[in-house]
């Protein structure tokens, strides 16, 4: 997953947030049911042989489910007319399979509710929209939360230089004695300063500042490399005096009485949200062949030829004085490949109801048939488009 994180970071060009951990298990389960070129491309994106992908995804989901501060979930919804191979479906976590009905608005509401509930409201809607061509939705949800044992002090911050110069920002400041929380590494593209902000439940946030000429992918890639010990981070307490890294200075100060070394941190609060169409980067995620609707690519999932029609992610991240929160919902929606639509020779009856003038409503508890609320609608909300 970290390898996919670094590769995804290489495509970043501006402010964004994303979660490879949300994409990876979906790609792994798709690889397990794919064949031919699609299977090879998905296996390359996952970084494992396709026959090892599904067991690794199950192990990953189990592990993430036991991490304090992290909620994770997997969901699968299929149309009633899609034949699903039991051996593939049974490899998913228990209780994940639901049904897509012909009522698209109701189905969309159910998917949106699932996304909101699984992320504690951080992501309010499923990133993909249902349409008549969607026959299956495979989705993951992640939500993490951690609090700082020692909160930051909030203060206004007005940088003297750089792109934020002259702006009045929400600044955060904190001092401590752990000099090893900050350090510098000389990565393949330049120097990067790393600051570790530990949470109270085993989740840390690493802040990374590179040289001004470095790209987001280069800085984030260096941070990923540091996690794998591919580059060495030298703690600030072992660095010489002076400007020793991007945004990092070590100096000696006089004091009236003996006192321990001190690490003073100043940063900014942020709240970032982003949506990603994974098919815009189909090569990165191993979906190039799987997108081709001229053929089917997942015989291990269904005997009906399937191709990936949609793949998207919504993600948010919030960093403040008290802690950090982040959430991501990722969804892949296959559709039928060419020549694979069900036989539609049967007929049925269609009834259309129009509520286009004032009407009343009752909200009823099904088991007791108790009316919980009632009303009359005279002023529908205006269209905001």
């Amino acid at each position: 997953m970290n390898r996919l994180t670094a590769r995804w970071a290489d495509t970043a060009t501006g402010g964004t947030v994303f979660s490879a951990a949300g994409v990876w298990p979906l790609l792994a389960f798709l690889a397990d049911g794919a064949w031919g070129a699609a299977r090879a491309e998905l296996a390359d994106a996952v970084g494992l042989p396709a026959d090892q992908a599904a067991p690794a995804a199950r192990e990953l989901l189990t592990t993430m489910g036991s991490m304090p501060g992290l909620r994770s979930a997997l969901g699968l919804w299929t149309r009633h007319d899609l034949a699903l191979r039991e051996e593939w479906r049974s490899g998913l976590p228990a209780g994940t399979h639901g049904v897509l009905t012909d009522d698209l608005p109701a189905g969309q509401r159910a998917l949106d509710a699932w996304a909101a509930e699984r992320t504690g409201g951080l992501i309010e809607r499923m990133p993909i929209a249902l349409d008549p061509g969607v026959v299956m939705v495979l989705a993951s949800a992640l939500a993490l939360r951690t609090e700082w044992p020692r909160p930051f002090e909030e203060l206004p911050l007005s940088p003297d230089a750089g792109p934020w110069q002259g702006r009045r920002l929400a600044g955060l400041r904190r001092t401590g004695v752990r000099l090893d929380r900050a350090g510098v590494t000389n990565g393949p593209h330049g120097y990067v300063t790393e600051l570790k902000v530990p949470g109270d439940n085993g989740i840390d946030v690493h802040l990374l500042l590179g040289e001004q000429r470095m790209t987001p992918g280069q800085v984030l890639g260096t941070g990923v490399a540091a996690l794998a010990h591919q580059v060495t981070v030298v703690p600030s307490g072992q660095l010489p005096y002076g400007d020793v890294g991007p945004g990092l200075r070590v100096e000696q100060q006089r004091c009236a009485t003996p006192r321990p070394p001190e690490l003073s941190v100043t940063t900014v609060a942020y709240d970032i949200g982003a949506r990603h169409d994974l098919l815009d980067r189909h090569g990165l995620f191993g979906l190039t062949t799987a997108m081709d609707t001229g053929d089917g690519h997942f015989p291990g999932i269904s005997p009906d030829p399937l191709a990936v029609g949609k793949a998207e992610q919504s993600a948010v991240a919030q960093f403040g004085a008290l802690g950090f929160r982040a959430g991501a919902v990722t969804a892949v929606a296959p559709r039928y490949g060419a020549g694979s639509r069900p036989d539609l020779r049967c007929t049925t009856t269609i009834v259309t109801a129009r509520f286009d003038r004032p009407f009343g409503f009752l909200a009823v508890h099904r088991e007791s048939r108790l009316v919980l609320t009632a009303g009359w609608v005279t002023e529908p909300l205006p269209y905001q488009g």
Side-chain angles (χ1 to χ4, degrees), residues 269-283:
Y270 56 82
D271 185 345
I272 303 174
R275 290 193 63 174
H276 305 280
D277 188 335
L278 306 186
L279 299 187
D280 288 343
R281 301 181 176 94
H282 50 83

Side-chain angles (χ1 to χ4, degrees), residues 113-152:
W114 183 88
E117 195 280 329
R118 296 305 191 276
T119 63
L122 285 172
I123 306 294
E124 296 181 350
R125 295 178 178 84
M126 187 69 73
I128 64 168
L130 293 179
D131 62 50
V134 172
V135 297
M136 172 179 148
V137 175
L138 181 64
S140 73
L142 298 175
L144 65 91
R145 181 191 303 266
T146 191
E147 308 295 328
W148 313 135
R150 292 190 305 108
F152 285 81

Side-chain angles (χ1 to χ4, degrees), residues 14-342:
T16 191
V17 56
F18 59 90
S19 173
V23 179
W24 195 92
L26 305 187
L27 300 181
F29 284 121
L30 289 177
D32 179 57
W35 78 296
R39 183 177 177 90
E41 291 169 4
L42 285 162
D44 179 68
V46 170
L48 289 173
D51 58 356
Q52 299 178 22
R58 289 193 292 271
E59 182 180 358
L60 167 69
L61 293 172
T62 300
T63 300
M64 291 197 301
S66 65
M67 294 179 180
L70 177 65
R71 298 175 60 190
S72 65
L74 189 84
L76 171 70
W77 297 264
T78 58
R79 284 176 52 114
H80 60 83
D81 53 5
L82 175 67
L84 204 63
R85 295 201 185 278
E86 177 59 25
E87 56 268 32
W88 182 83
R89 189 204 62 79
S90 64
L92 303 180
T96 61
H97 190 194
V99 177
L100 295 175
T101 69
D102 293 331
D103 187 342
L104 294 181
Q108 190 70 56
R109 289 193 295 270
L111 294 182
D112 293 345
W114 183 88
E117 195 280 329
R118 296 305 191 276
T119 63
L122 285 172
I123 306 294
E124 296 181 350
R125 295 178 178 84
M126 187 69 73
I128 64 168
L130 293 179
D131 62 50
V134 172
V135 297
M136 172 179 148
V137 175
L138 181 64
S140 73
L142 298 175
L144 65 91
R145 181 191 303 266
T146 191
E147 308 295 328
W148 313 135
R150 292 190 305 108
F152 285 81
E153 173 193 0
E154 299 177 286
L155 75 167
L157 178 65
S158 297
D160 297 326
W164 294 347
Q165 182 176 3
R167 296 176 56 186
R168 191 175 176 85
L169 306 175
L172 301 173
R173 180 172 295 164
R174 194 173 75 181
T175 59
V177 298
R178 292 289 303 272
L179 302 189
D180 59 344
R181 301 283 194 223
V184 177
T185 181
N186 185 9
H189 304 287
Y191 289 97
V192 174
T193 295
E194 176 190 71
L195 172 70
K196 298 178 183 177
V197 186
D200 63 353
N201 56 4
I203 296 175
D204 302 331
V205 178
H206 293 209
L207 305 183
L208 301 163
L209 180 66
E211 299 180 50
Q212 292 188 19
R213 60 177 176 77
M214 295 175 66
T215 67
Q218 291 171 343
V219 176
L220 292 170
T222 300
V224 172
L227 293 175
H229 302 292
Q230 295 172 347
V231 296
T232 300
V233 178
V234 181
S236 61
Q238 299 178 20
L239 295 169
Y241 296 124
D243 295 319
V244 293
L248 189 65
R249 180 175 176 81
V250 180
E251 58 186 352
Q252 194 173 40
Q253 291 185 353
R254 295 181 178 274
C255 53
T257 58
R259 67 183 191 186
E262 181 179 275
L263 172 63
S264 178
V265 174
T266 299
T267 184
V268 294
Y270 56 82
D271 185 345
I272 303 174
R275 290 193 63 174
H276 305 280
D277 188 335
L278 306 186
L279 299 187
D280 288 343
R281 301 181 176 94
H282 50 83
L284 171 64
F285 300 108
L287 296 172
T288 302
T289 299
M291 294 167 54
D292 179 9
T293 58
D295 198 357
H297 310 287
F298 301 97
I301 296 177
S302 171
D304 298 329
L306 295 176
V308 172
K310 300 181 180 181
E312 300 187 36
Q313 180 181 94
S314 295
V316 297
Q318 302 166 348
F319 186 108
L322 302 180
F324 178 82
R325 295 198 305 165
V329 174
T330 311
V332 177
R335 60 179 66 241
Y336 286 121
S340 61
R341 294 194 175 277

